[in-house]
Amino acid sequence: MREFLLGLRLLFGAGRGSRVRFLLMAAGSSFGVCCLALVLTIPAILDAHDGRAADREPQTVSERTAGAPLVLQRSDPYGSQPFTRVFVARGTTGGTATGPAPPGLDELPRAGEVFVSPRVRDLLREQPGIKGRLPGTVAGTIGPAGLAHPDELFAYVGTSPERITGEARTLTGFGYPYAPSPAVEPSTLGNLRFALGTLVLLPLGIFLSVCARLSAAARTRRLASLRLLGLSIRGTQRVNAAETVVAALIGALLGLAEYAVLNQVMSRTGLPSLRWYPEDGALSAATVAVCLIGCPALAWFAGRAGGRDAAARPLAVRRTAPPGPPSKWGALLLVTGLGIVCGYCATDLAGRPASNLGLNAPLILAGVLLTGVGLVTTLPLISHTVARRVARSADSLALSLAMRRNEVEPGGTMRVVSGLVLLVFAASLGQGVLIQLAEVTRPSGPTQDYALPLSGITPAQQRELTEVPGVRAGALTMDSWADLEAEGDETSSRATALVATCAQLERLVRQSDGCADGRVLRLVDPNSSTDPGVVPGAAFPYRLDAPGGKRTLEITLPSEAVVFRAPSPSAVGSAAVLVPPSMLPAGARPESAQLVLSGGSDPDAVRGVLDGIGAVAPTAEVVPLGVNVQGLQQIAVIETLLGLGMVMGLAIGAAAFTVSVTDRAVERRPQVTAVTLLGARARTLRAVQCLQVVVPLGIGLALALLLGKLAEACYLITAGTEVRWDTAGLPVLAGAAAGVLVTTALATLPLVGRRVDPELIRRD
């Protein structure tokens, strides 16, 4: 405790420069802790989304009870978001309407009442076309307890039991132990944590270490004086650690306060595809403990390590003896990580790419993290070696001075460039994650098909649906009937029939040849496999609901065929026979059939068709083939979080550079003054300052590009993507690295001022 108090007295009594450095350390630590709190809170935000979605999930049973409430849930895509509508028919007990109230509402909606989320309420004003999906009058807004996030498209629609008796189930309550569609799948969440750990946490650890090592040279000389005055080795290290711990603790408190303000702002403005309520992002006890304990603990170890030289060799420090070369042990991390990464890359070159399942997942994470950390710990050794060799053969005074300074103090320069080097390394890996997501979300064909079970719509609705604006064609697909209790293999094959004209067929497929109206024809797609039992001469029965009772239509496959090519995915791609509509008896409807609609694949066209379908048949189940709305929403959330991680990584890298270069300029003022008094021109000193940073930064960026591409290839190979060696992204990263190099060179030029203060040398 005595050493701790001594460190604080030295801090506040060592002049204005020391206090400025202390404030700089605290400010840097606060920014780092704010970023750390944001990263640690992201899983809690996603869990809060899933928790509310699970709490409102209807509990149902299939048995029907007289007077019991009924529920029918429909979820259609609206752009890349799901639009969920819950149709509810209140039960009756003793003539009074009853039913369990869902979260966010006081009671179940009555028939004709609609309760919507705030986003749907705004959307009704912006896009009146969606009113058809919500039959009734808007009677209120769903509370936050009933919504996964503020921008969710969700509505409760009150209706009568007879309108949803077909597929409705008896409602017993609300709430499930898990969400039906999590915000991010558990397997994908692991990849997201891996990416955020590399993009944010790795640069953040380096940044916090940099903040804890500010004004290292001045503090080391001061500690050496205390050691020569009789302070013990451990006491000297504790004195140094006291300043860093206090700065880190104050910075942690400020960082948590900054995050609290940031959470209020971001929760109200939101991010693309990601919104949350302020209480979702509230600081948890675990996050506060990690920030208030982890950051000072890191500063404690960094402070003790920084005071080791002053405690062990105080005379050498006071006489500014040249330090020894950097330790080679840091290269062990790089060699280990690079060995793991190259090993997985070699599996692809050998033709047997590894996967990220089982033990491979933690090994890949360890390999990438060790490569990134090893890159930073090895840079001082590489910079020292290069600087010594260049200084021996350099003919330029500026280059010689710069390399000699890097040879004597490689760690000081590395504090300036390490954040920028890690930024380029992490950007390469983030590019690989975006490539993987792009393969999942790339567009499919030029058309979009929709399938609606025929049992859920009336004949009048069927006619209206084919006339919805944006629908190019409409037809029926019906499945053949088979007696499941019969024995033998003759009933194992089934044939799907497409009830359409030749004109409808042409609009449903890409190409068709050999079609003739009024005839039964086989359908053959060369790009798809066929059932061995579906051959010319085979007969298949189709059950029909006719006005006079049930009937069976027997269709024998002819030898004449229509060769067609269907888009992928397609609702008619599996059809085996083309049946003209005139073959169906008047008023007859197939028992097992679907209404197939086709339109454009443009997002606005898809949205318009779905709005039109909702206006005609609001309770009908619509399956837009090839559109996984939940998957698209998850990918949008992941892309948002990755973008946030990249922005945070960029901010951390820029902050590390700003803090380090400012501290280094203050720390180097006595040396710059001494060289200036010896006759060096300001132009030469600016060139020296620039070369001191640009040469090691250029080496680090080149290594970051090489190692980052290897880490990206390792991730893409084990993820099973088609793109495994991303050569197309190399020019982008190379251009970014060149931009970082030029910006850094320009930032170092103003560090040499015009005013010379000889008092700095006397104080030194």
Side-chain angles (χ1 to χ4, degrees):
M1 190 64 183
R2 180 171 59 90
E3 293 85 355
F4 186 81
L5 295 177
L6 177 59
L8 295 182
R9 291 183 63 184
L10 290 174
L11 167 64
F12 294 105
R16 185 178 62 181
S18 179
R19 290 191 292 271
V20 170
R21 292 189 185 105
F22 176 82
L23 294 177
L24 196 61
M25 292 167 61
S29 299
S30 70
F31 177 76
V33 169
C34 181
C35 293
L36 177 61
L38 180 58
V39 173
L40 294 178
T41 310
I42 286 175
I45 293 174
L46 299 179
D47 289 342
H49 282 199
D50 295 342
R52 285 193 296 271
D55 291 341
R56 68 161 185 229
E57 187 67 12
Q59 297 179 0
T60 61
V61 293
S62 57
E63 294 81 7
R64 293 292 181 88
T65 304
L70 302 178
V71 64
L72 176 65
Q73 188 164 319
R74 292 285 183 253
S75 184
D76 304 324
Y78 186 83
S80 61
Q81 286 184 281
F83 188 174
T84 303
R85 297 163 296 152
V86 181
F87 295 87
V88 179
R90 296 169 58 142
T92 55
T93 302
T96 304
T98 60
L105 294 181
D106 295 332
E107 59 179 358
L108 286 177
R110 296 177 174 84
E113 289 184 343
V114 180
F115 290 85
V116 299
S117 65
R119 178 61 182 140
V120 174
R121 182 189 57 203
D122 297 338
L123 205 59
L124 286 171
R125 292 194 294 265
E126 301 168 4
Q127 302 288 339
I130 69 168
K131 183 65 178 65
R133 304 193 196 186
L134 305 170
T137 303
V138 176
T141 305
I142 304 172
L147 300 174
H149 55 87
D151 280 348
E152 189 176 20
L153 301 178
F154 199 88
Y156 288 100
V157 181
T159 185
S160 57
E162 58 272 10
R163 299 193 63 179
I164 59 172
T165 52
E167 301 175 48
R169 296 172 64 90
T170 301
L171 177 65
T172 60
F174 290 92
Y176 263 81
Y178 55 87
S181 298
V184 178
E185 291 289 344
S187 58
T188 309
L189 186 59
N191 295 336
L192 179 63
R193 287 171 176 165
F194 165 72
L196 289 178
T198 307
L199 289 171
V200 181
L201 296 183
L202 186 57
L204 182 60
I206 302 299
F207 174 56
L208 292 176
S209 299
V210 166
C211 292
R213 292 282 295 140
L214 294 180
S215 64
R219 283 192 291 163
T220 300
R221 289 192 299 271
R222 190 172 59 200
L223 294 173
S225 301
L226 294 176
R227 179 75 179 96
L228 292 173
L229 290 174
L231 194 63
S232 65
I233 294 178
R234 290 188 176 181
T236 304
Q237 292 178 327
R238 290 169 184 166
V239 169
N240 186 45
E243 182 177 350
T244 59
V245 168
V246 172
L249 185 59
I250 294 176
L253 294 173
L254 290 175
L256 294 177
E258 293 169 3
Y259 171 77
V261 176
L262 183 66
N263 177 49
Q264 295 292 330
V265 174
M266 292 183 66
S267 62
R268 285 166 171 78
T269 58
L271 298 173
S273 304
L274 181 63
R275 284 285 306 276
W276 65 91
Y277 294 104
E279 54 270 18
D280 295 345
L283 290 168
S284 64
T287 301
V288 173
V290 169
C291 295
L292 293 182
I293 297 176
C295 186
L298 178 63
W300 170 266
F301 288 109
R304 285 179 62 87
R308 186 178 301 138
D309 290 339
R313 301 186 305 158
L315 285 176
V317 170
R318 287 305 303 174
R319 295 174 180 176
T320 60
S327 174
K328 298 179 180 179
W329 288 104
L332 182 61
L333 297 177
L334 179 61
V335 172
T336 304
L338 199 55
I340 297 174
V341 168
C342 292
Y344 283 105
C345 292
T347 61
D348 182 66
L349 298 177
R352 302 182 64 182
S355 67
N356 57 1
L357 301 177
L359 187 61
N360 289 337
L363 274 179
I364 296 169
L365 176 60
V368 173
L369 294 180
L370 287 175
T371 303
V373 175
L375 174 62
V376 175
T377 56
T378 311
L379 275 179
L381 178 61
I382 298 175
S383 176
H384 177 270
T385 304
V386 172
R388 183 174 56 184
R389 294 185 178 181
V390 172
R392 290 176 179 175
S393 57
D395 296 330
S396 170
L397 174 62
L399 182 60
S400 179
L401 284 175
M403 293 301 100
R404 288 300 183 189
R405 169 53 60 182
N406 284 347
E407 180 185 359
V408 172
E409 191 187 9
T413 305
M414 287 305 104
R415 291 203 305 271
V416 177
V417 306
S418 58
L420 300 176
V421 170
L422 271 182
L423 177 62
V424 174
F425 176 81
S428 180
L429 187 66
Q431 192 177 58
V433 178
L434 293 178
I435 288 174
Q436 182 192 19
L437 294 176
E439 290 191 3
V440 179
T441 57
R442 58 187 172 189
S444 54
T447 61
Q448 175 63 55
D449 288 357
Y450 310 86
L452 293 82
L454 196 62
S455 59
I457 55 179
T458 64
Q461 289 175 332
Q462 178 182 342
R463 290 190 298 270
E464 293 180 23
L465 287 172
T466 57
E467 300 172 357
V468 167
V471 173
R472 299 175 182 174
L476 287 181
T477 60
M478 56 182 184
D479 301 324
S480 61
W481 177 81
D483 188 359
L484 300 179
E485 298 180 357
E487 298 181 358
D489 296 334
E490 63 272 11
T491 61
S492 60
S493 297
R494 295 189 180 187
T496 299
L498 174 63
V499 183
T501 63
C502 291
Q504 291 173 326
L505 176 64
E506 289 182 359
R507 290 193 291 266
L508 288 171
V509 299
R510 290 182 176 178
Q511 181 184 357
S512 65
D513 297 320
C515 185
D517 280 324
R519 299 172 57 188
V520 177
L521 300 170
R522 283 191 306 117
L523 292 175
V524 178
D525 187 353
N527 296 327
S528 64
S529 59
T530 58
D531 192 325
V534 182
V535 294
F540 296 92
Y542 296 87
R543 288 288 190 89
L544 305 177
D545 289 330
K550 293 186 178 296
R551 297 181 57 180
T552 300
L553 177 64
E554 191 87 13
I555 296 179
T556 302
L557 298 186
S559 57
E560 296 83 1
V562 176
V563 179
F564 73 101
R565 297 181 184 275
S568 178
S570 172
V572 300
S574 61
V577 59
L578 178 65
V579 177
S582 58
M583 284 194 65
L584 297 181
R589 289 165 60 88
E591 279 188 355
S592 176
Q594 289 183 321
L595 175 63
V596 175
L597 305 175
S598 180
S601 61
D602 182 78
D604 291 334
V606 174
R607 183 178 301 147
V609 171
L610 289 172
D611 290 342
I613 294 174
V616 175
T619 62
E621 181 181 2
V622 185
V623 180
L625 276 75
V627 179
N628 184 355
V629 188
Q630 283 76 20
L632 290 177
Q633 188 181 31
Q634 287 189 27
I635 290 171
V637 171
I638 293 170
E639 288 179 340
T640 297
L641 293 177
L642 284 178
L644 178 63
M646 289 182 176
V647 171
M648 291 174 61
L650 176 62
I652 291 170
F657 173 77
T658 303
V659 170
S660 299
V661 80
T662 304
D663 176 69
R664 192 166 180 271
V666 175
E667 195 175 46
R668 290 289 319 284
R669 284 166 59 196
Q671 290 82 3
V672 172
T673 301
V675 176
T676 302
L677 292 178
L678 290 176
R681 294 180 299 178
R683 182 186 305 173
T684 303
L685 291 179
R686 290 192 178 93
V688 170
Q689 292 278 34
C690 183
L691 290 171
Q692 280 182 248
V693 177
V694 168
V695 172
L697 179 60
I699 296 172
L701 291 178
L703 288 175
L705 280 174
L706 175 62
L707 300 181
K709 298 308 290 184
L710 286 175
E712 178 190 6
C714 171
Y715 175 81
L716 292 176
I717 289 169
T718 55
T721 58
E722 295 180 7
V723 177
R724 294 175 179 173
W725 300 90
D726 175 33
T727 56
L730 189 59
V732 178
L733 288 176
V740 169
L741 199 64
V742 172
T743 304
T744 305
L746 295 176
T748 58
L749 296 180
L751 298 182
V752 177
R754 297 178 178 273
R755 181 173 176 270
V756 178
D757 186 6
E759 185 68 16
L760 294 172
I761 301 179
R762 188 191 70 81
R763 290 176 181 173
D764 186 52

